Amino acid sequence: MMTSKTVYYICFTIFILGILLGVGATFAYLTVSPAGPASGGGVACTMEAKICPDGSSVGRTGPNCEFTPCKKGTSGNVVPPNAEPIGEGGGSGTSGSGNGEAVACTMDAKICPDGSAVGRVGPNCEFAECPIAGSGGTSCASDKDCGAGYECIDPSPVVREGEENLKCWKIGTPRPICLSGDTRISTPEGDVLVKNMKEGMRVWTVDKNGKKISGTAVLAGKTRAPSTHKVMHIKLSDGRELFVSPRHKIADGRNAGEMDVGDRIGGAAVILSDLVPYTEEYTYDILPNGDTGMYFANGILLRSTLK
């Protein structure tokens, strides 16, 4: 027959075992992912979050680590871990995923053979295609390197000698906005062909009050003209004449291509305004120092395209 002391020890032992079992069960519950068991073990879901339209966020749960649904009537954006914030100026791009959600792709970049870089795009955040060789913007050495409908030119506004950066450029796209090589630039030493102008040479310009003053050419360069390039042939009633790209501006800000017969330039009437083919390889421009950057080309006051 058990004594009261024996019964006490048995009850105390059962009590201690109950506490230990409770602690063990709690520890096991906390160390297993809330996703629940799969294949006999705990499932650790990735730390992505989906931002719902109402501003709340949901994570991945369940045996398949699917996103917890947003509130009814919303979808949400998927944000990978460590991705840049989404929004204007943000680092991660968003693309449609095909299921109504916008996917924010990570900021990886792939360097293409032509030296350009492409990023990841939706719906699967794969890298965008590299530019096709010979298409617009790809590097080239001659027209042979460009595809159909493209020419090999330097699309920069002006280029110094030996600094060309040739690119395939769509034929007919206007780029050069400068002067024909035989245009005469007025200088204190006499007229100089624009193609012979050098940085540091003196040149006639005007100040902000329109007064003619001596200045210095701080930039003199050229840009390759496409074979399809055309220029305006403008002739004035006082005999002055100019061949200039249509978008080159005269002193009052009008484009050369806007000039019609009867318009006036520098006190003389336009008697001829015609768009003609350009046969030279380059167009040219200069930039004088001073307030205006203007200069006299064949006696006509023009703005520099380089200012």
Side-chain angles (χ1 to χ4, degrees), residues 94-130:
T94 59
S95 303
S97 64
N99 59 4
E101 295 181 343
V103 178
C105 302
T106 54
M107 292 294 293
D108 302 322
K110 181 172 73 173
I111 306 302
C112 297
D114 66 351
S116 63
V118 294
R120 295 186 180 275
V121 296
N124 299 318
C125 286
E126 297 175 343
F127 283 115
E129 294 291 335
C130 285

PDB file of all heavy atoms in Angstrom, residues 94-130:
ATOM      1  N   THR A  94       9.338  48.149 -63.128  1.00  0.00           N
ATOM      2  CA  THR A  94       8.135  47.346 -62.993  1.00  0.00           C
ATOM      3  C   THR A  94       7.649  46.935 -64.360  1.00  0.00           C
ATOM      4  O   THR A  94       7.702  47.702 -65.307  1.00  0.00           O
ATOM      5  CB  THR A  94       7.032  48.131 -62.271  1.00  0.00           C
ATOM      6  OG1 THR A  94       6.754  49.313 -63.005  1.00  0.00           O
ATOM      7  CG2 THR A  94       7.447  48.494 -60.859  1.00  0.00           C
ATOM      8  N   SER A  95       7.178  45.719 -64.479  1.00  0.00           N
ATOM      9  CA  SER A  95       6.674  45.210 -65.745  1.00  0.00           C
ATOM     10  C   SER A  95       5.469  44.337 -65.476  1.00  0.00           C
ATOM     11  O   SER A  95       5.359  43.721 -64.419  1.00  0.00           O
ATOM     12  CB  SER A  95       7.753  44.386 -66.471  1.00  0.00           C
ATOM     13  OG  SER A  95       8.914  45.138 -66.671  1.00  0.00           O
ATOM     14  N   GLY A  96       4.578  44.246 -66.412  1.00  0.00           N
ATOM     15  CA  GLY A  96       3.396  43.410 -66.247  1.00  0.00           C
ATOM     16  C   GLY A  96       3.771  41.957 -66.147  1.00  0.00           C
ATOM     17  O   GLY A  96       4.664  41.477 -66.839  1.00  0.00           O
ATOM     18  N   SER A  97       3.091  41.232 -65.257  1.00  0.00           N
ATOM     19  CA  SER A  97       3.396  39.822 -65.072  1.00  0.00           C
ATOM     20  C   SER A  97       2.435  38.917 -65.810  1.00  0.00           C
ATOM     21  O   SER A  97       2.589  37.718 -65.780  1.00  0.00           O
ATOM     22  CB  SER A  97       3.349  39.482 -63.570  1.00  0.00           C
ATOM     23  OG  SER A  97       2.044  39.662 -63.081  1.00  0.00           O
ATOM     24  N   GLY A  98       1.411  39.500 -66.428  1.00  0.00           N
ATOM     25  CA  GLY A  98       0.463  38.683 -67.158  1.00  0.00           C
ATOM     26  C   GLY A  98      -0.703  38.218 -66.319  1.00  0.00           C
ATOM     27  O   GLY A  98      -1.667  37.669 -66.829  1.00  0.00           O
ATOM     28  N   ASN A  99      -0.640  38.412 -64.987  1.00  0.00           N
ATOM     29  CA  ASN A  99      -1.752  38.007 -64.131  1.00  0.00           C
ATOM     30  C   ASN A  99      -2.318  39.185 -63.368  1.00  0.00           C
ATOM     31  O   ASN A  99      -2.920  39.025 -62.315  1.00  0.00           O
ATOM     32  CB  ASN A  99      -1.302  36.902 -63.166  1.00  0.00           C
ATOM     33  CG  ASN A  99      -0.150  37.360 -62.278  1.00  0.00           C
ATOM     34  OD1 ASN A  99       0.254  38.516 -62.341  1.00  0.00           O
ATOM     35  ND2 ASN A  99       0.363  36.456 -61.464  1.00  0.00           N
ATOM     36  N   GLY A 100      -2.107  40.388 -63.883  1.00  0.00           N
ATOM     37  CA  GLY A 100      -2.642  41.565 -63.236  1.00  0.00           C
ATOM     38  C   GLY A 100      -1.713  42.191 -62.230  1.00  0.00           C
ATOM     39  O   GLY A 100      -2.038  43.213 -61.649  1.00  0.00           O
ATOM     40  N   GLU A 101      -0.547  41.567 -61.971  1.00  0.00           N
ATOM     41  CA  GLU A 101       0.387  42.113 -61.012  1.00  0.00           C
ATOM     42  C   GLU A 101       1.552  42.768 -61.732  1.00  0.00           C
ATOM     43  O   GLU A 101       1.879  42.428 -62.863  1.00  0.00           O
ATOM     44  CB  GLU A 101       0.913  41.021 -60.088  1.00  0.00           C
ATOM     45  CG  GLU A 101      -0.162  40.407 -59.201  1.00  0.00           C
ATOM     46  CD  GLU A 101       0.410  39.344 -58.293  1.00  0.00           C
ATOM     47  OE1 GLU A 101       1.528  38.876 -58.573  1.00  0.00           O
ATOM     48  OE2 GLU A 101      -0.257  38.985 -57.310  1.00  0.00           O
ATOM     49  N   ALA A 102       2.202  43.748 -61.047  1.00  0.00           N
ATOM     50  CA  ALA A 102       3.403  44.377 -61.583  1.00  0.00           C
ATOM     51  C   ALA A 102       4.608  43.812 -60.847  1.00  0.00           C
ATOM     52  O   ALA A 102       4.628  43.774 -59.623  1.00  0.00           O
ATOM     53  CB  ALA A 102       3.336  45.899 -61.399  1.00  0.00           C
ATOM     54  N   VAL A 103       5.592  43.330 -61.572  1.00  0.00           N
ATOM     55  CA  VAL A 103       6.748  42.689 -60.971  1.00  0.00           C
ATOM     56  C   VAL A 103       7.916  43.660 -60.957  1.00  0.00           C
ATOM     57  O   VAL A 103       8.270  44.222 -61.987  1.00  0.00           O
ATOM     58  CB  VAL A 103       7.134  41.416 -61.759  1.00  0.00           C
ATOM     59  CG1 VAL A 103       8.366  40.774 -61.146  1.00  0.00           C
ATOM     60  CG2 VAL A 103       5.978  40.446 -61.767  1.00  0.00           C
ATOM     61  N   ALA A 104       8.529  43.875 -59.796  1.00  0.00           N
ATOM     62  CA  ALA A 104       9.702  44.732 -59.684  1.00  0.00           C
ATOM     63  C   ALA A 104      10.941  43.868 -59.821  1.00  0.00           C
ATOM     64  O   ALA A 104      11.214  43.017 -58.985  1.00  0.00           O
ATOM     65  CB  ALA A 104       9.703  45.456 -58.347  1.00  0.00           C
ATOM     66  N   CYS A 105      11.682  44.063 -60.910  1.00  0.00           N
ATOM     67  CA  CYS A 105      12.854  43.231 -61.185  1.00  0.00           C
ATOM     68  C   CYS A 105      14.093  43.812 -60.505  1.00  0.00           C
ATOM     69  O   CYS A 105      14.196  45.009 -60.292  1.00  0.00           O
ATOM     70  CB  CYS A 105      13.090  43.143 -62.697  1.00  0.00           C
ATOM     71  SG  CYS A 105      11.672  42.480 -63.597  1.00  0.00           S
ATOM     72  N   THR A 106      15.045  42.952 -60.189  1.00  0.00           N
ATOM     73  CA  THR A 106      16.277  43.396 -59.553  1.00  0.00           C
ATOM     74  C   THR A 106      17.133  44.189 -60.550  1.00  0.00           C
ATOM     75  O   THR A 106      16.891  44.181 -61.749  1.00  0.00           O
ATOM     76  CB  THR A 106      17.070  42.188 -59.025  1.00  0.00           C
ATOM     77  OG1 THR A 106      17.263  41.264 -60.102  1.00  0.00           O
ATOM     78  CG2 THR A 106      16.317  41.498 -57.903  1.00  0.00           C
ATOM     79  N   MET A 107      18.165  44.861 -60.025  1.00  0.00           N
ATOM     80  CA  MET A 107      18.913  45.844 -60.805  1.00  0.00           C
ATOM     81  C   MET A 107      20.121  45.263 -61.533  1.00  0.00           C
ATOM     82  O   MET A 107      21.110  45.941 -61.730  1.00  0.00           O
ATOM     83  CB  MET A 107      19.363  46.979 -59.883  1.00  0.00           C
ATOM     84  CG  MET A 107      18.211  47.834 -59.367  1.00  0.00           C
ATOM     85  SD  MET A 107      17.411  48.750 -60.672  1.00  0.00           S
ATOM     86  CE  MET A 107      18.714  49.879 -61.123  1.00  0.00           C
ATOM     87  N   ASP A 108      20.087  43.988 -61.912  1.00  0.00           N
ATOM     88  CA  ASP A 108      21.188  43.420 -62.686  1.00  0.00           C
ATOM     89  C   ASP A 108      21.289  44.101 -64.046  1.00  0.00           C
ATOM     90  O   ASP A 108      20.306  44.638 -64.563  1.00  0.00           O
ATOM     91  CB  ASP A 108      20.965  41.916 -62.911  1.00  0.00           C
ATOM     92  CG  ASP A 108      20.827  41.158 -61.600  1.00  0.00           C
ATOM     93  OD1 ASP A 108      21.542  41.509 -60.662  1.00  0.00           O
ATOM     94  OD2 ASP A 108      19.997  40.241 -61.530  1.00  0.00           O
ATOM     95  N   ALA A 109      22.459  44.060 -64.650  1.00  0.00           N
ATOM     96  CA  ALA A 109      22.654  44.596 -66.000  1.00  0.00           C
ATOM     97  C   ALA A 109      23.524  43.640 -66.797  1.00  0.00           C
ATOM     98  O   ALA A 109      24.441  43.022 -66.257  1.00  0.00           O
ATOM     99  CB  ALA A 109      23.307  45.972 -65.948  1.00  0.00           C
ATOM    100  N   LYS A 110      23.205  43.512 -68.075  1.00  0.00           N
ATOM    101  CA  LYS A 110      24.005  42.666 -68.970  1.00  0.00           C
ATOM    102  C   LYS A 110      24.673  43.564 -69.999  1.00  0.00           C
ATOM    103  O   LYS A 110      24.025  44.408 -70.616  1.00  0.00           O
ATOM    104  CB  LYS A 110      23.119  41.626 -69.663  1.00  0.00           C
ATOM    105  CG  LYS A 110      23.904  40.699 -70.599  1.00  0.00           C
ATOM    106  CD  LYS A 110      23.034  39.574 -71.123  1.00  0.00           C
ATOM    107  CE  LYS A 110      22.047  40.036 -72.154  1.00  0.00           C
ATOM    108  NZ  LYS A 110      21.316  38.916 -72.788  1.00  0.00           N
ATOM    109  N   ILE A 111      25.975  43.419 -70.180  1.00  0.00           N
ATOM    110  CA  ILE A 111      26.719  44.205 -71.156  1.00  0.00           C
ATOM    111  C   ILE A 111      26.633  43.529 -72.516  1.00  0.00           C
ATOM    112  O   ILE A 111      27.000  42.370 -72.665  1.00  0.00           O
ATOM    113  CB  ILE A 111      28.191  44.378 -70.742  1.00  0.00           C
ATOM    114  CG1 ILE A 111      28.285  44.963 -69.320  1.00  0.00           C
ATOM    115  CG2 ILE A 111      28.928  45.262 -71.737  1.00  0.00           C
ATOM    116  CD1 ILE A 111      27.583  46.289 -69.178  1.00  0.00           C
ATOM    117  N   CYS A 112      26.131  44.268 -73.500  1.00  0.00           N
ATOM    118  CA  CYS A 112      25.959  43.727 -74.850  1.00  0.00           C
ATOM    119  C   CYS A 112      27.252  43.851 -75.657  1.00  0.00           C
ATOM    120  O   CYS A 112      28.156  44.605 -75.286  1.00  0.00           O
ATOM    121  CB  CYS A 112      24.826  44.480 -75.560  1.00  0.00           C
ATOM    122  SG  CYS A 112      23.224  44.283 -74.756  1.00  0.00           S
ATOM    123  N   PRO A 113      27.360  43.120 -76.762  1.00  0.00           N
ATOM    124  CA  PRO A 113      28.586  43.160 -77.574  1.00  0.00           C
ATOM    125  C   PRO A 113      28.963  44.550 -78.067  1.00  0.00           C
ATOM    126  O   PRO A 113      30.149  44.834 -78.282  1.00  0.00           O
ATOM    127  CB  PRO A 113      28.257  42.227 -78.756  1.00  0.00           C
ATOM    128  CG  PRO A 113      27.245  41.273 -78.204  1.00  0.00           C
ATOM    129  CD  PRO A 113      26.419  42.086 -77.250  1.00  0.00           C
ATOM    130  N   ASP A 114      27.968  45.436 -78.245  1.00  0.00           N
ATOM    131  CA  ASP A 114      28.296  46.777 -78.738  1.00  0.00           C
ATOM    132  C   ASP A 114      28.660  47.729 -77.609  1.00  0.00           C
ATOM    133  O   ASP A 114      28.872  48.912 -77.828  1.00  0.00           O
ATOM    134  CB  ASP A 114      27.124  47.351 -79.546  1.00  0.00           C
ATOM    135  CG  ASP A 114      25.884  47.606 -78.700  1.00  0.00           C
ATOM    136  OD1 ASP A 114      25.874  47.173 -77.522  1.00  0.00           O
ATOM    137  OD2 ASP A 114      24.940  48.230 -79.210  1.00  0.00           O
ATOM    138  N   GLY A 115      28.731  47.228 -76.371  1.00  0.00           N
ATOM    139  CA  GLY A 115      29.110  48.058 -75.236  1.00  0.00           C
ATOM    140  C   GLY A 115      27.939  48.645 -74.475  1.00  0.00           C
ATOM    141  O   GLY A 115      28.125  49.181 -73.387  1.00  0.00           O
ATOM    142  N   SER A 116      26.727  48.535 -75.011  1.00  0.00           N
ATOM    143  CA  SER A 116      25.557  49.038 -74.304  1.00  0.00           C
ATOM    144  C   SER A 116      25.137  48.034 -73.231  1.00  0.00           C
ATOM    145  O   SER A 116      25.634  46.908 -73.178  1.00  0.00           O
ATOM    146  CB  SER A 116      24.411  49.293 -75.281  1.00  0.00           C
ATOM    147  OG  SER A 116      24.012  48.073 -75.905  1.00  0.00           O
ATOM    148  N   ALA A 117      24.237  48.466 -72.344  1.00  0.00           N
ATOM    149  CA  ALA A 117      23.778  47.602 -71.260  1.00  0.00           C
ATOM    150  C   ALA A 117      22.262  47.494 -71.296  1.00  0.00           C
ATOM    151  O   ALA A 117      21.567  48.444 -71.656  1.00  0.00           O
ATOM    152  CB  ALA A 117      24.233  48.159 -69.914  1.00  0.00           C
ATOM    153  N   VAL A 118      21.759  46.324 -70.915  1.00  0.00           N
ATOM    154  CA  VAL A 118      20.308  46.115 -70.834  1.00  0.00           C
ATOM    155  C   VAL A 118      19.984  45.565 -69.455  1.00  0.00           C
ATOM    156  O   VAL A 118      20.805  44.900 -68.824  1.00  0.00           O
ATOM    157  CB  VAL A 118      19.808  45.152 -71.932  1.00  0.00           C
ATOM    158  CG1 VAL A 118      19.970  45.763 -73.304  1.00  0.00           C
ATOM    159  CG2 VAL A 118      20.534  43.798 -71.862  1.00  0.00           C
ATOM    160  N   GLY A 119      18.766  45.853 -68.975  1.00  0.00           N
ATOM    161  CA  GLY A 119      18.326  45.374 -67.672  1.00  0.00           C
ATOM    162  C   GLY A 119      17.287  44.287 -67.801  1.00  0.00           C
ATOM    163  O   GLY A 119      16.967  43.812 -68.892  1.00  0.00           O
ATOM    164  N   ARG A 120      16.740  43.890 -66.660  1.00  0.00           N
ATOM    165  CA  ARG A 120      15.718  42.837 -66.631  1.00  0.00           C
ATOM    166  C   ARG A 120      14.330  43.442 -66.829  1.00  0.00           C
ATOM    167  O   ARG A 120      14.050  44.530 -66.349  1.00  0.00           O
ATOM    168  CB  ARG A 120      15.768  42.085 -65.302  1.00  0.00           C
ATOM    169  CG  ARG A 120      17.070  41.309 -65.095  1.00  0.00           C
ATOM    170  CD  ARG A 120      16.993  40.472 -63.831  1.00  0.00           C
ATOM    171  NE  ARG A 120      18.215  39.711 -63.607  1.00  0.00           N
ATOM    172  CZ  ARG A 120      18.477  38.530 -64.137  1.00  0.00           C
ATOM    173  NH1 ARG A 120      17.585  37.969 -64.943  1.00  0.00           N
ATOM    174  NH2 ARG A 120      19.604  37.896 -63.886  1.00  0.00           N
ATOM    175  N   VAL A 121      13.458  42.721 -67.539  1.00  0.00           N
ATOM    176  CA  VAL A 121      12.094  43.176 -67.798  1.00  0.00           C
ATOM    177  C   VAL A 121      11.123  42.023 -67.531  1.00  0.00           C
ATOM    178  O   VAL A 121      11.506  40.859 -67.482  1.00  0.00           O
ATOM    179  CB  VAL A 121      11.933  43.673 -69.249  1.00  0.00           C
ATOM    180  CG1 VAL A 121      12.800  44.899 -69.495  1.00  0.00           C
ATOM    181  CG2 VAL A 121      12.291  42.576 -70.252  1.00  0.00           C
ATOM    182  N   GLY A 122       9.840  42.382 -67.346  1.00  0.00           N
ATOM    183  CA  GLY A 122       8.812  41.381 -67.076  1.00  0.00           C
ATOM    184  C   GLY A 122       8.424  40.619 -68.327  1.00  0.00           C
ATOM    185  O   GLY A 122       8.862  40.941 -69.416  1.00  0.00           O
ATOM    186  N   PRO A 123       7.612  39.565 -68.183  1.00  0.00           N
ATOM    187  CA  PRO A 123       6.995  39.159 -66.912  1.00  0.00           C
ATOM    188  C   PRO A 123       7.867  38.270 -66.036  1.00  0.00           C
ATOM    189  O   PRO A 123       7.568  38.052 -64.881  1.00  0.00           O
ATOM    190  CB  PRO A 123       5.763  38.376 -67.371  1.00  0.00           C
ATOM    191  CG  PRO A 123       6.182  37.782 -68.685  1.00  0.00           C
ATOM    192  CD  PRO A 123       7.065  38.803 -69.333  1.00  0.00           C
ATOM    193  N   ASN A 124       8.960  37.751 -66.571  1.00  0.00           N
ATOM    194  CA  ASN A 124       9.793  36.803 -65.838  1.00  0.00           C
ATOM    195  C   ASN A 124      11.124  37.394 -65.410  1.00  0.00           C
ATOM    196  O   ASN A 124      12.022  36.663 -64.999  1.00  0.00           O
ATOM    197  CB  ASN A 124      10.038  35.555 -66.690  1.00  0.00           C
ATOM    198  CG  ASN A 124       8.755  34.841 -67.041  1.00  0.00           C
ATOM    199  OD1 ASN A 124       7.867  34.694 -66.203  1.00  0.00           O
ATOM    200  ND2 ASN A 124       8.636  34.404 -68.290  1.00  0.00           N
ATOM    201  N   CYS A 125      11.239  38.726 -65.521  1.00  0.00           N
ATOM    202  CA  CYS A 125      12.479  39.424 -65.134  1.00  0.00           C
ATOM    203  C   CYS A 125      13.701  38.879 -65.867  1.00  0.00           C
ATOM    204  O   CYS A 125      14.793  38.768 -65.309  1.00  0.00           O
ATOM    205  CB  CYS A 125      12.688  39.371 -63.621  1.00  0.00           C
ATOM    206  SG  CYS A 125      11.567  40.466 -62.720  1.00  0.00           S
ATOM    207  N   GLU A 126      13.512  38.533 -67.148  1.00  0.00           N
ATOM    208  CA  GLU A 126      14.647  38.122 -67.970  1.00  0.00           C
ATOM    209  C   GLU A 126      15.310  39.363 -68.564  1.00  0.00           C
ATOM    210  O   GLU A 126      14.701  40.430 -68.657  1.00  0.00           O
ATOM    211  CB  GLU A 126      14.169  37.191 -69.088  1.00  0.00           C
ATOM    212  CG  GLU A 126      13.560  35.888 -68.575  1.00  0.00           C
ATOM    213  CD  GLU A 126      12.988  35.056 -69.706  1.00  0.00           C
ATOM    214  OE1 GLU A 126      12.781  35.628 -70.801  1.00  0.00           O
ATOM    215  OE2 GLU A 126      12.747  33.856 -69.500  1.00  0.00           O
ATOM    216  N   PHE A 127      16.581  39.239 -68.977  1.00  0.00           N
ATOM    217  CA  PHE A 127      17.278  40.366 -69.574  1.00  0.00           C
ATOM    218  C   PHE A 127      16.628  40.752 -70.904  1.00  0.00           C
ATOM    219  O   PHE A 127      16.251  39.883 -71.693  1.00  0.00           O
ATOM    220  CB  PHE A 127      18.753  40.043 -69.813  1.00  0.00           C
ATOM    221  CG  PHE A 127      19.589  40.107 -68.563  1.00  0.00           C
ATOM    222  CD1 PHE A 127      20.197  38.971 -68.054  1.00  0.00           C
ATOM    223  CD2 PHE A 127      19.761  41.313 -67.896  1.00  0.00           C
ATOM    224  CE1 PHE A 127      20.968  39.032 -66.907  1.00  0.00           C
ATOM    225  CE2 PHE A 127      20.520  41.377 -66.748  1.00  0.00           C
ATOM    226  CZ  PHE A 127      21.131  40.230 -66.241  1.00  0.00           C
ATOM    227  N   ALA A 128      16.520  42.050 -71.149  1.00  0.00           N
ATOM    228  CA  ALA A 128      16.024  42.537 -72.434  1.00  0.00           C
ATOM    229  C   ALA A 128      17.011  42.154 -73.537  1.00  0.00           C
ATOM    230  O   ALA A 128      18.192  41.900 -73.284  1.00  0.00           O
ATOM    231  CB  ALA A 128      15.850  44.054 -72.390  1.00  0.00           C
ATOM    232  N   GLU A 129      16.511  42.099 -74.763  1.00  0.00           N
ATOM    233  CA  GLU A 129      17.362  41.751 -75.889  1.00  0.00           C
ATOM    234  C   GLU A 129      18.410  42.844 -76.128  1.00  0.00           C
ATOM    235  O   GLU A 129      18.127  44.037 -76.008  1.00  0.00           O
ATOM    236  CB  GLU A 129      16.529  41.581 -77.156  1.00  0.00           C
ATOM    237  CG  GLU A 129      15.563  40.400 -77.111  1.00  0.00           C
ATOM    238  CD  GLU A 129      16.283  39.063 -77.136  1.00  0.00           C
ATOM    239  OE1 GLU A 129      17.415  39.014 -77.655  1.00  0.00           O
ATOM    240  OE2 GLU A 129      15.719  38.076 -76.632  1.00  0.00           O
ATOM    241  N   CYS A 130      19.621  42.443 -76.483  1.00  0.00           N
ATOM    242  CA  CYS A 130      20.648  43.411 -76.875  1.00  0.00           C
ATOM    243  C   CYS A 130      20.266  44.029 -78.219  1.00  0.00           C
ATOM    244  O   CYS A 130      19.527  43.414 -79.004  1.00  0.00           O
ATOM    245  CB  CYS A 130      22.015  42.728 -76.996  1.00  0.00           C
ATOM    246  SG  CYS A 130      22.783  42.348 -75.401  1.00  0.00           S
TER     247      CYS A 130
END
